[in-house]
């Protein structure tokens, strides 16, 4: 018997759908500055370090591709759900903290989208937790002889 309980996310259409939706969103928004930095900057404002924008875009695209593949295969694991929600929360925090001071206000729209994703992943996690498989407890021994495997 395995000690860790497995959350049944792979059967939940919400988790799979979220994986696909966030995957497409992240893949597109991550590849965009790599493919055409000029149009990306036209929408989001000028960037002093183009290589850094492309690096972050590549990382976001990798997360997006992974989420998309997992969602399409209906194999969204708890670890992928944590990656998805954590990525969205991290990007939202950067958007909110730096948008008023240093970056374009358009990032507040991204923060809103990321907040929706975090909320949706929390709902998916709650549903998975509610429908998890609970294993019966391990047998309890009544005497030292039972624990040692001696016949009673």
């Amino acid at each position: 018997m395995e000690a860790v309980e497995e959350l049944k996310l792979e059967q939940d259409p919400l988790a799979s759908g979220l994986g696909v939706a966030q995957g497409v969103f992240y893949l597109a928004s991550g590849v965009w500055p790599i493919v055409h930095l000029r149009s990306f900057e036209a929408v989001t404002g000028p960037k002093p370090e183009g290589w850094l924008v492309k690096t972050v875009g590549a990382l976001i695209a990798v997360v997006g591709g992974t989420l998309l593949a997992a969602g399409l295969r209906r194999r969204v694991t708890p670890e992928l759900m944590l990656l998805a929600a954590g990525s969205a929360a991290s990007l939202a925090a950067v958007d909110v903290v730096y948008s008023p001071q240093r970056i374009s206000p358009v990032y507040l729209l991204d923060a809103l989208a990321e907040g929706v994703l975090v909320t949706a992943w929390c709902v998916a996690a709650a549903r998975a937790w509610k429908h998890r498989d609970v294993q019966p407890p391990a047998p309890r021994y009544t005497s030292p002889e039972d624990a040692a495997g001696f016949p009673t």
Side-chain angles (χ1 to χ4, degrees):
M1 188 176 331
E2 196 168 308
V4 178
E5 292 179 10
E6 181 69 26
L7 297 180
K8 297 286 186 179
L9 294 176
E10 55 267 14
Q11 285 83 25
D12 186 6
L14 175 60
S16 296
L18 279 171
V20 170
Q22 187 172 352
V24 168
F25 176 50
Y26 276 23
L27 194 56
S29 61
V31 169
W32 183 16
I34 296 169
V35 172
H36 202 267
L37 184 59
R38 190 178 313 156
S39 66
F40 182 81
E41 288 181 318
V43 173
T44 63
K47 309 287 184 277
E49 303 284 348
W51 68 270
L52 184 58
V53 175
K54 291 179 180 185
T55 301
V56 172
L59 292 171
I60 291 171
V62 168
V63 170
T66 303
L67 292 172
L68 178 60
L72 290 173
R73 296 184 67 204
R74 299 180 55 84
R75 299 185 54 82
V76 178
T77 64
E79 296 83 4
L80 281 172
M81 185 171 66
L82 181 61
L83 175 68
S87 297
S90 298
L91 292 171
V94 169
D95 291 342
V96 169
V97 169
Y98 292 105
S99 188
Q101 307 161 13
R102 304 178 73 183
I103 61 177
S104 169
V106 75
Y107 283 98
L108 292 176
L109 293 174
D110 183 64
L112 180 64
E114 303 295 349
V116 169
L117 287 170
V118 171
T119 302
W121 282 115
C122 289
V123 170
R127 285 172 42 152
W129 183 257
K130 182 179 177 183
H131 295 102
R132 72 190 185 281
D133 285 337
V134 179
Q135 300 295 326
R140 301 190 116 190
Y141 299 109
T142 57
S143 69
E145 292 83 13
D146 288 343
F150 296 119
T152 54

